[in-house]
Amino acid sequence: MPFDPDETPLARTRRARRMARELAVIHPDAHCELDFTNAFELLVATVLSAQTTDKTVNKVTPALFARYPDPVALAAADRAEVEEILKPTGFFRAKANSVLGLAQALVERFDGEVPGRMADLVTLPGVGRKTANVVLGNAFDVPGLTVDTHFGRLVRRFGWTAEEDPVKVEAEIAELVPKRDWTMFSHRVIFHGRRVCHAKKAACGACGLARWCPSYGIGPTDPELALKLVKTPAASDTE
Ligand code: SF4
């Protein structure tokens, strides 16, 4: 267990901030990898990104939004047509259901607009805190921590939290990272998870966070071996 209960809150906060600053240096290109032009598009794209890569979602959303540019159009869409467009994303029947239900709820309860508040967003079907934070952080400029599988794995490896539950993880990390940084910090952690600190083979020997990370050594520490595990930007969108 990388979390050290004897580390003082002050020491943990200092270490966390040091690591967060280093992540900004390591991943200056971190950003939301879903393509969107407004909050509606980002919300739909985020819902579609469950169990598939952002790249795959980006391949289908141009056709989807050209045909259905807003919640009103999507709420009235022909289900078979939506399913056809979403086919490459996998689970396309369930996903068509999700986005149609989402559009209908936006029309019925929010006048066809995406609400800019967490309390409203999480009332939408298929929208949890993670999706809501993606939308708030990237379409509304409201800071949000996006606790997906990469994020949870990494902050536990960093020894920042011992929690498994994403809501508890979010609350603990919110105490360590300044609020204004939450959105970009989330992108950087997710980039680090995709490129360096992989679930199965962490590239510890090529990791810029090694000196502050209690999990250093869970993956190869030999620099040459580790470097081979680091994914290049073009190949990093695997989950
Ligand atoms: S040192 Fe290893 S476990 Fe720690 S963040 Fe880097 S790759 Fe992950």
Side-chain angles (χ1 to χ4, degrees):
M1 166 66 67
F3 183 82
D4 176 4
D6 293 331
E7 185 176 31
T8 65
L10 180 63
R12 188 173 301 118
T13 303
R14 284 199 176 138
R15 189 170 62 83
R17 294 194 173 189
R18 205 54 234 276
M19 291 172 82
R21 282 203 297 278
E22 195 61 27
L23 276 172
V25 175
I26 300 170
H27 303 292
D29 55 337
H31 61 279
C32 178
E33 296 199 284
L34 291 167
D35 295 337
F36 67 98
T37 63
N38 57 44
F40 166 66
E41 292 186 4
L42 181 57
L43 178 59
V44 171
T46 308
V47 167
L48 292 176
S49 71
Q51 325 274 345
T52 191
T53 67
D54 292 351
K55 267 186 201 151
T56 305
V57 174
N58 291 340
K59 278 188 197 141
V60 303
T61 45
L64 185 70
F65 299 137
R67 185 90 179 84
Y68 312 108
D70 53 44
V72 173
L74 186 58
D78 178 75
R79 175 177 303 270
E81 241 180 72
V82 175
E83 286 181 358
E84 193 54 40
I85 296 173
L86 299 183
K87 228 170 205 169
T89 66
F91 307 101
F92 62 94
R93 290 211 172 83
K95 287 190 179 174
N97 260 343
S98 299
V99 296
L100 287 170
L102 183 60
Q104 282 154 10
L106 287 172
V107 171
E108 282 162 18
R109 294 198 274 118
F110 296 100
D111 288 331
E113 298 285 336
V114 176
R117 291 190 332 149
M118 172 64 77
D120 292 328
L121 282 165
V122 294
T123 68
L124 292 164
V127 178
R129 286 188 67 87
K130 189 201 92 177
T131 297
N133 273 324
V134 171
V135 173
L136 288 173
N138 298 285
F140 288 98
D141 263 343
V142 175
L145 288 168
T146 311
V147 185
D148 71 356
T149 54
H150 293 293
F151 190 105
R153 175 179 80 249
L154 266 68
V155 293
R156 281 189 290 275
R157 283 180 177 176
F158 294 170
W160 292 11
T161 179
E163 297 291 351
E164 293 282 338
D165 173 60
V167 175
K168 289 184 183 154
V169 170
E170 187 189 327
E172 293 214 338
I173 305 312
E175 296 291 318
L176 296 173
V177 177
K179 187 170 184 177
R180 64 176 180 277
D181 297 337
W182 286 356
T183 304
M184 282 311 298
F185 172 75
S186 302
H187 292 316
R188 290 168 189 146
V189 170
I190 291 166
F191 266 54
H192 203 64
R194 283 179 174 162
R195 292 180 176 176
V196 183
C197 190
H198 310 298
K200 295 212 176 89
K201 277 200 170 172
C204 293
C207 176
L209 300 180
R211 81 181 83 156
W212 303 284
C213 179
S215 299
Y216 174 75
I218 57 164
T221 53
D222 175 74
E224 248 176 74
L225 260 182
L227 208 53
K228 287 195 185 121
L229 298 172
V230 174
K231 285 192 183 153
T232 60
S236 62
D237 186 25
T238 55
E239 288 163 57

mmCIF file of all heavy atoms in Angstrom, residues 50-87:
data_model
loop_
_atom_site.group_PDB
_atom_site.id
_atom_site.type_symbol
_atom_site.label_atom_id
_atom_site.label_comp_id
_atom_site.label_asym_id
_atom_site.label_seq_id
_atom_site.Cartn_x
_atom_site.Cartn_y
_atom_site.Cartn_z
ATOM 1 N N ALA A 50 -17.392 6.057 -22.756
ATOM 2 C CA ALA A 50 -17.347 4.902 -21.841
ATOM 3 C C ALA A 50 -16.999 3.645 -22.636
ATOM 4 O O ALA A 50 -17.581 3.406 -23.693
ATOM 5 C CB ALA A 50 -18.700 4.737 -21.157
ATOM 6 N N GLN A 51 -16.069 2.877 -22.165
ATOM 7 C CA GLN A 51 -15.638 1.596 -22.785
ATOM 8 C C GLN A 51 -15.067 1.748 -24.185
ATOM 9 O O GLN A 51 -15.046 0.783 -24.947
ATOM 10 C CB GLN A 51 -16.798 0.589 -22.903
ATOM 11 C CG GLN A 51 -17.800 0.611 -21.817
ATOM 12 C CD GLN A 51 -17.364 -0.255 -20.661
ATOM 13 O OE1 GLN A 51 -16.463 -1.067 -20.805
ATOM 14 N NE2 GLN A 51 -17.954 -0.057 -19.505
ATOM 15 N N THR A 52 -14.661 2.928 -24.578
ATOM 16 C CA THR A 52 -14.051 3.060 -25.895
ATOM 17 C C THR A 52 -13.025 4.193 -25.869
ATOM 18 O O THR A 52 -12.949 4.934 -24.902
ATOM 19 C CB THR A 52 -15.131 3.282 -26.979
ATOM 20 O OG1 THR A 52 -14.532 3.144 -28.256
ATOM 21 C CG2 THR A 52 -15.763 4.645 -26.904
ATOM 22 N N THR A 53 -12.217 4.296 -26.930
ATOM 23 C CA THR A 53 -11.181 5.329 -26.907
ATOM 24 C C THR A 53 -11.740 6.665 -27.377
ATOM 25 O O THR A 53 -12.722 6.724 -28.122
ATOM 26 C CB THR A 53 -10.015 4.958 -27.845
ATOM 27 O OG1 THR A 53 -10.488 4.983 -29.190
ATOM 28 C CG2 THR A 53 -9.440 3.597 -27.517
ATOM 29 N N ASP A 54 -11.071 7.735 -26.942
ATOM 30 C CA ASP A 54 -11.483 9.073 -27.384
ATOM 31 C C ASP A 54 -11.369 9.178 -28.903
ATOM 32 O O ASP A 54 -12.188 9.819 -29.553
ATOM 33 C CB ASP A 54 -10.603 10.146 -26.718
ATOM 34 C CG ASP A 54 -10.866 10.234 -25.216
ATOM 35 O OD1 ASP A 54 -11.830 9.608 -24.743
ATOM 36 O OD2 ASP A 54 -10.101 10.930 -24.523
ATOM 37 N N LYS A 55 -10.347 8.533 -29.452
ATOM 38 C CA LYS A 55 -10.151 8.592 -30.910
ATOM 39 C C LYS A 55 -11.349 8.013 -31.661
ATOM 40 O O LYS A 55 -11.791 8.560 -32.663
ATOM 41 C CB LYS A 55 -8.903 7.787 -31.299
ATOM 42 C CG LYS A 55 -7.672 8.637 -31.374
ATOM 43 C CD LYS A 55 -6.506 7.817 -31.904
ATOM 44 C CE LYS A 55 -5.224 8.507 -31.477
ATOM 45 N NZ LYS A 55 -4.110 7.626 -31.294
ATOM 46 N N THR A 56 -11.858 6.889 -31.160
ATOM 47 C CA THR A 56 -13.026 6.271 -31.811
ATOM 48 C C THR A 56 -14.233 7.192 -31.709
ATOM 49 O O THR A 56 -14.990 7.355 -32.665
ATOM 50 C CB THR A 56 -13.331 4.904 -31.158
ATOM 51 O OG1 THR A 56 -12.150 4.126 -31.230
ATOM 52 C CG2 THR A 56 -14.453 4.180 -31.848
ATOM 53 N N VAL A 57 -14.406 7.806 -30.538
ATOM 54 C CA VAL A 57 -15.526 8.739 -30.373
ATOM 55 C C VAL A 57 -15.380 9.895 -31.363
ATOM 56 O O VAL A 57 -16.353 10.291 -32.028
ATOM 57 C CB VAL A 57 -15.584 9.264 -28.917
ATOM 58 C CG1 VAL A 57 -16.645 10.349 -28.775
ATOM 59 C CG2 VAL A 57 -15.854 8.117 -27.958
ATOM 60 N N ASN A 58 -14.162 10.414 -31.498
ATOM 61 C CA ASN A 58 -13.943 11.554 -32.407
ATOM 62 C C ASN A 58 -14.240 11.191 -33.863
ATOM 63 O O ASN A 58 -14.475 12.077 -34.678
ATOM 64 C CB ASN A 58 -12.499 12.053 -32.292
ATOM 65 C CG ASN A 58 -12.235 12.722 -30.958
ATOM 66 O OD1 ASN A 58 -13.167 13.141 -30.274
ATOM 67 N ND2 ASN A 58 -10.969 12.824 -30.584
ATOM 68 N N LYS A 59 -14.195 9.904 -34.172
ATOM 69 C CA LYS A 59 -14.492 9.500 -35.557
ATOM 70 C C LYS A 59 -15.994 9.552 -35.849
ATOM 71 O O LYS A 59 -16.397 9.764 -36.985
ATOM 72 C CB LYS A 59 -13.989 8.067 -35.795
ATOM 73 C CG LYS A 59 -12.512 8.051 -36.109
ATOM 74 C CD LYS A 59 -12.065 6.663 -36.531
ATOM 75 C CE LYS A 59 -10.560 6.587 -36.424
ATOM 76 N NZ LYS A 59 -10.072 5.337 -35.921
ATOM 77 N N VAL A 60 -16.818 9.315 -34.821
ATOM 78 C CA VAL A 60 -18.267 9.258 -35.097
ATOM 79 C C VAL A 60 -18.985 10.578 -34.793
ATOM 80 O O VAL A 60 -20.046 10.844 -35.356
ATOM 81 C CB VAL A 60 -18.972 8.110 -34.316
ATOM 82 C CG1 VAL A 60 -18.340 6.773 -34.653
ATOM 83 C CG2 VAL A 60 -18.985 8.353 -32.825
ATOM 84 N N THR A 61 -18.412 11.407 -33.908
ATOM 85 C CA THR A 61 -19.164 12.601 -33.506
ATOM 86 C C THR A 61 -19.358 13.637 -34.623
ATOM 87 O O THR A 61 -20.413 14.283 -34.642
ATOM 88 C CB THR A 61 -18.568 13.254 -32.238
ATOM 89 O OG1 THR A 61 -17.142 13.329 -32.362
ATOM 90 C CG2 THR A 61 -18.937 12.467 -31.002
ATOM 91 N N PRO A 62 -18.409 13.807 -35.578
ATOM 92 C CA PRO A 62 -18.709 14.792 -36.637
ATOM 93 C C PRO A 62 -20.007 14.460 -37.381
ATOM 94 O O PRO A 62 -20.849 15.336 -37.605
ATOM 95 C CB PRO A 62 -17.483 14.707 -37.564
ATOM 96 C CG PRO A 62 -16.384 14.246 -36.668
ATOM 97 C CD PRO A 62 -17.036 13.290 -35.705
ATOM 98 N N ALA A 63 -20.208 13.186 -37.721
ATOM 99 C CA ALA A 63 -21.446 12.799 -38.440
ATOM 100 C C ALA A 63 -22.656 12.960 -37.524
ATOM 101 O O ALA A 63 -23.720 13.435 -37.952
ATOM 102 C CB ALA A 63 -21.330 11.353 -38.909
ATOM 103 N N LEU A 64 -22.483 12.590 -36.253
ATOM 104 C CA LEU A 64 -23.608 12.683 -35.312
ATOM 105 C C LEU A 64 -24.063 14.138 -35.145
ATOM 106 O O LEU A 64 -25.259 14.439 -35.213
ATOM 107 C CB LEU A 64 -23.185 12.097 -33.959
ATOM 108 C CG LEU A 64 -24.279 12.012 -32.902
ATOM 109 C CD1 LEU A 64 -25.315 10.941 -33.269
ATOM 110 C CD2 LEU A 64 -23.691 11.706 -31.518
ATOM 111 N N PHE A 65 -23.095 15.045 -34.949
ATOM 112 C CA PHE A 65 -23.475 16.437 -34.686
ATOM 113 C C PHE A 65 -23.845 17.192 -35.964
ATOM 114 O O PHE A 65 -24.551 18.198 -35.905
ATOM 115 C CB PHE A 65 -22.362 17.160 -33.917
ATOM 116 C CG PHE A 65 -22.081 16.533 -32.576
ATOM 117 C CD1 PHE A 65 -20.776 16.343 -32.126
ATOM 118 C CD2 PHE A 65 -23.121 16.113 -31.755
ATOM 119 C CE1 PHE A 65 -20.516 15.743 -30.901
ATOM 120 C CE2 PHE A 65 -22.874 15.514 -30.529
ATOM 121 C CZ PHE A 65 -21.575 15.328 -30.108
ATOM 122 N N ALA A 66 -23.384 16.705 -37.116
ATOM 123 C CA ALA A 66 -23.820 17.325 -38.377
ATOM 124 C C ALA A 66 -25.312 17.025 -38.579
ATOM 125 O O ALA A 66 -26.086 17.871 -39.012
ATOM 126 C CB ALA A 66 -23.003 16.783 -39.540
ATOM 127 N N ARG A 67 -25.693 15.799 -38.217
ATOM 128 C CA ARG A 67 -27.092 15.370 -38.398
ATOM 129 C C ARG A 67 -27.982 15.901 -37.267
ATOM 130 O O ARG A 67 -29.122 16.277 -37.487
ATOM 131 C CB ARG A 67 -27.100 13.831 -38.402
ATOM 132 C CG ARG A 67 -28.405 13.185 -38.693
ATOM 133 C CD ARG A 67 -28.592 12.951 -40.176
ATOM 134 N NE ARG A 67 -29.853 12.288 -40.465
ATOM 135 C CZ ARG A 67 -31.023 12.913 -40.597
ATOM 136 N NH1 ARG A 67 -31.102 14.212 -40.452
ATOM 137 N NH2 ARG A 67 -32.128 12.224 -40.855
ATOM 138 N N TYR A 68 -27.444 15.906 -36.043
ATOM 139 C CA TYR A 68 -28.217 16.322 -34.857
ATOM 140 C C TYR A 68 -27.402 17.354 -34.070
ATOM 141 O O TYR A 68 -26.693 17.004 -33.125
ATOM 142 C CB TYR A 68 -28.519 15.117 -33.957
ATOM 143 C CG TYR A 68 -29.074 13.934 -34.708
ATOM 144 C CD1 TYR A 68 -28.296 12.797 -34.911
ATOM 145 C CD2 TYR A 68 -30.374 13.970 -35.224
ATOM 146 C CE1 TYR A 68 -28.798 11.709 -35.614
ATOM 147 C CE2 TYR A 68 -30.873 12.878 -35.940
ATOM 148 C CZ TYR A 68 -30.085 11.758 -36.131
ATOM 149 O OH TYR A 68 -30.571 10.697 -36.828
ATOM 150 N N PRO A 69 -27.493 18.613 -34.447
ATOM 151 C CA PRO A 69 -26.593 19.611 -33.863
ATOM 152 C C PRO A 69 -26.942 20.071 -32.450
ATOM 153 O O PRO A 69 -26.120 20.725 -31.794
ATOM 154 C CB PRO A 69 -26.698 20.797 -34.836
ATOM 155 C CG PRO A 69 -27.986 20.605 -35.550
ATOM 156 C CD PRO A 69 -28.296 19.150 -35.546
ATOM 157 N N ASP A 70 -28.142 19.738 -31.956
ATOM 158 C CA ASP A 70 -28.520 20.222 -30.612
ATOM 159 C C ASP A 70 -29.438 19.191 -29.937
ATOM 160 O O ASP A 70 -29.895 18.239 -30.570
ATOM 161 C CB ASP A 70 -29.179 21.597 -30.701
ATOM 162 C CG ASP A 70 -30.334 21.591 -31.691
ATOM 163 O OD1 ASP A 70 -31.136 20.631 -31.665
ATOM 164 O OD2 ASP A 70 -30.414 22.523 -32.517
ATOM 165 N N PRO A 71 -29.744 19.394 -28.659
ATOM 166 C CA PRO A 71 -30.569 18.424 -27.943
ATOM 167 C C PRO A 71 -31.946 18.216 -28.566
ATOM 168 O O PRO A 71 -32.454 17.092 -28.586
ATOM 169 C CB PRO A 71 -30.688 19.034 -26.537
ATOM 170 C CG PRO A 71 -29.453 19.853 -26.380
ATOM 171 C CD PRO A 71 -29.183 20.422 -27.745
ATOM 172 N N VAL A 72 -32.540 19.285 -29.106
ATOM 173 C CA VAL A 72 -33.875 19.144 -29.697
ATOM 174 C C VAL A 72 -33.816 18.183 -30.886
ATOM 175 O O VAL A 72 -34.639 17.266 -31.013
ATOM 176 C CB VAL A 72 -34.421 20.536 -30.142
ATOM 177 C CG1 VAL A 72 -35.736 20.377 -30.913
ATOM 178 C CG2 VAL A 72 -34.610 21.434 -28.931
ATOM 179 N N ALA A 73 -32.831 18.368 -31.744
ATOM 180 C CA ALA A 73 -32.697 17.503 -32.921
ATOM 181 C C ALA A 73 -32.396 16.065 -32.509
ATOM 182 O O ALA A 73 -32.979 15.105 -33.038
ATOM 183 C CB ALA A 73 -31.585 18.030 -33.825
ATOM 184 N N LEU A 74 -31.517 15.893 -31.524
ATOM 185 C CA LEU A 74 -31.141 14.539 -31.115
ATOM 186 C C LEU A 74 -32.301 13.840 -30.395
ATOM 187 O O LEU A 74 -32.513 12.636 -30.565
ATOM 188 C CB LEU A 74 -29.882 14.575 -30.226
ATOM 189 C CG LEU A 74 -29.293 13.220 -29.848
ATOM 190 C CD1 LEU A 74 -28.928 12.383 -31.075
ATOM 191 C CD2 LEU A 74 -28.032 13.407 -28.980
ATOM 192 N N ALA A 75 -33.063 14.602 -29.617
ATOM 193 C CA ALA A 75 -34.197 14.006 -28.886
ATOM 194 C C ALA A 75 -35.230 13.445 -29.857
ATOM 195 O O ALA A 75 -35.927 12.481 -29.537
ATOM 196 C CB ALA A 75 -34.827 15.056 -27.970
ATOM 197 N N ALA A 76 -35.326 14.032 -31.032
ATOM 198 C CA ALA A 76 -36.330 13.595 -32.008
ATOM 199 C C ALA A 76 -35.739 12.647 -33.055
ATOM 200 O O ALA A 76 -36.399 12.313 -34.035
ATOM 201 C CB ALA A 76 -36.914 14.831 -32.704
ATOM 202 N N ALA A 77 -34.510 12.207 -32.832
ATOM 203 C CA ALA A 77 -33.804 11.417 -33.859
ATOM 204 C C ALA A 77 -34.401 10.031 -34.042
ATOM 205 O O ALA A 77 -35.024 9.466 -33.128
ATOM 206 C CB ALA A 77 -32.338 11.276 -33.455
ATOM 207 N N ASP A 78 -34.186 9.493 -35.224
ATOM 208 C CA ASP A 78 -34.552 8.114 -35.513
ATOM 209 C C ASP A 78 -33.499 7.189 -34.872
ATOM 210 O O ASP A 78 -32.308 7.291 -35.173
ATOM 211 C CB ASP A 78 -34.571 7.927 -37.038
ATOM 212 C CG ASP A 78 -34.908 6.502 -37.415
ATOM 213 O OD1 ASP A 78 -36.083 6.136 -37.314
ATOM 214 O OD2 ASP A 78 -33.970 5.758 -37.790
ATOM 215 N N ARG A 79 -33.969 6.309 -33.983
ATOM 216 C CA ARG A 79 -33.035 5.467 -33.213
ATOM 217 C C ARG A 79 -32.108 4.650 -34.123
ATOM 218 O O ARG A 79 -30.894 4.573 -33.900
ATOM 219 C CB ARG A 79 -33.841 4.538 -32.303
ATOM 220 C CG ARG A 79 -33.015 3.516 -31.537
ATOM 221 C CD ARG A 79 -33.895 2.693 -30.625
ATOM 222 N NE ARG A 79 -34.620 3.568 -29.717
ATOM 223 C CZ ARG A 79 -34.165 3.939 -28.524
ATOM 224 N NH1 ARG A 79 -33.011 3.474 -28.095
ATOM 225 N NH2 ARG A 79 -34.846 4.756 -27.757
ATOM 226 N N ALA A 80 -32.683 4.059 -35.179
ATOM 227 C CA ALA A 80 -31.872 3.203 -36.063
ATOM 228 C C ALA A 80 -30.756 4.014 -36.721
ATOM 229 O O ALA A 80 -29.629 3.529 -36.888
ATOM 230 C CB ALA A 80 -32.763 2.560 -37.121
ATOM 231 N N GLU A 81 -31.072 5.253 -37.063
ATOM 232 C CA GLU A 81 -30.057 6.104 -37.703
ATOM 233 C C GLU A 81 -28.924 6.426 -36.720
ATOM 234 O O GLU A 81 -27.742 6.403 -37.084
ATOM 235 C CB GLU A 81 -30.710 7.418 -38.131
ATOM 236 C CG GLU A 81 -30.649 7.650 -39.633
ATOM 237 C CD GLU A 81 -31.307 8.960 -40.012
ATOM 238 O OE1 GLU A 81 -30.715 10.016 -39.717
ATOM 239 O OE2 GLU A 81 -32.411 8.912 -40.577
ATOM 240 N N VAL A 82 -29.304 6.722 -35.477
ATOM 241 C CA VAL A 82 -28.286 7.026 -34.453
ATOM 242 C C VAL A 82 -27.422 5.782 -34.211
ATOM 243 O O VAL A 82 -26.193 5.865 -34.148
ATOM 244 C CB VAL A 82 -28.946 7.513 -33.131
ATOM 245 C CG1 VAL A 82 -27.905 7.699 -32.038
ATOM 246 C CG2 VAL A 82 -29.717 8.801 -33.364
ATOM 247 N N GLU A 83 -28.064 4.632 -34.125
ATOM 248 C CA GLU A 83 -27.311 3.385 -33.910
ATOM 249 C C GLU A 83 -26.308 3.163 -35.035
ATOM 250 O O GLU A 83 -25.166 2.769 -34.795
ATOM 251 C CB GLU A 83 -28.271 2.186 -33.828
ATOM 252 C CG GLU A 83 -29.037 2.135 -32.526
ATOM 253 C CD GLU A 83 -29.974 0.936 -32.441
ATOM 254 O OE1 GLU A 83 -30.059 0.160 -33.423
ATOM 255 O OE2 GLU A 83 -30.629 0.788 -31.400
ATOM 256 N N GLU A 84 -26.722 3.435 -36.248
ATOM 257 C CA GLU A 84 -25.846 3.235 -37.407
ATOM 258 C C GLU A 84 -24.604 4.139 -37.287
ATOM 259 O O GLU A 84 -23.472 3.691 -37.499
ATOM 260 C CB GLU A 84 -26.645 3.568 -38.684
ATOM 261 C CG GLU A 84 -26.000 3.118 -39.980
ATOM 262 C CD GLU A 84 -25.653 1.635 -40.009
ATOM 263 O OE1 GLU A 84 -26.439 0.825 -39.511
ATOM 264 O OE2 GLU A 84 -24.543 1.301 -40.530
ATOM 265 N N ILE A 85 -24.834 5.385 -36.905
ATOM 266 C CA ILE A 85 -23.704 6.324 -36.772
ATOM 267 C C ILE A 85 -22.752 5.871 -35.654
ATOM 268 O O ILE A 85 -21.536 5.981 -35.764
ATOM 269 C CB ILE A 85 -24.208 7.767 -36.490
ATOM 270 C CG1 ILE A 85 -25.020 8.290 -37.684
ATOM 271 C CG2 ILE A 85 -23.046 8.710 -36.173
ATOM 272 C CD1 ILE A 85 -25.711 9.635 -37.433
ATOM 273 N N LEU A 86 -23.345 5.334 -34.568
ATOM 274 C CA LEU A 86 -22.527 4.991 -33.382
ATOM 275 C C LEU A 86 -21.887 3.596 -33.456
ATOM 276 O O LEU A 86 -21.115 3.232 -32.569
ATOM 277 C CB LEU A 86 -23.379 5.076 -32.104
ATOM 278 C CG LEU A 86 -23.971 6.449 -31.789
ATOM 279 C CD1 LEU A 86 -24.720 6.400 -30.462
ATOM 280 C CD2 LEU A 86 -22.878 7.522 -31.728
ATOM 281 N N LYS A 87 -22.205 2.847 -34.486
ATOM 282 C CA LYS A 87 -21.735 1.462 -34.578
ATOM 283 C C LYS A 87 -20.239 1.282 -34.261
ATOM 284 O O LYS A 87 -19.871 0.394 -33.483
ATOM 285 C CB LYS A 87 -22.038 0.888 -35.960
ATOM 286 C CG LYS A 87 -22.681 -0.462 -35.877
ATOM 287 C CD LYS A 87 -23.189 -0.930 -37.214
ATOM 288 C CE LYS A 87 -24.312 -1.914 -37.007
ATOM 289 N NZ LYS A 87 -25.020 -2.211 -38.231
#
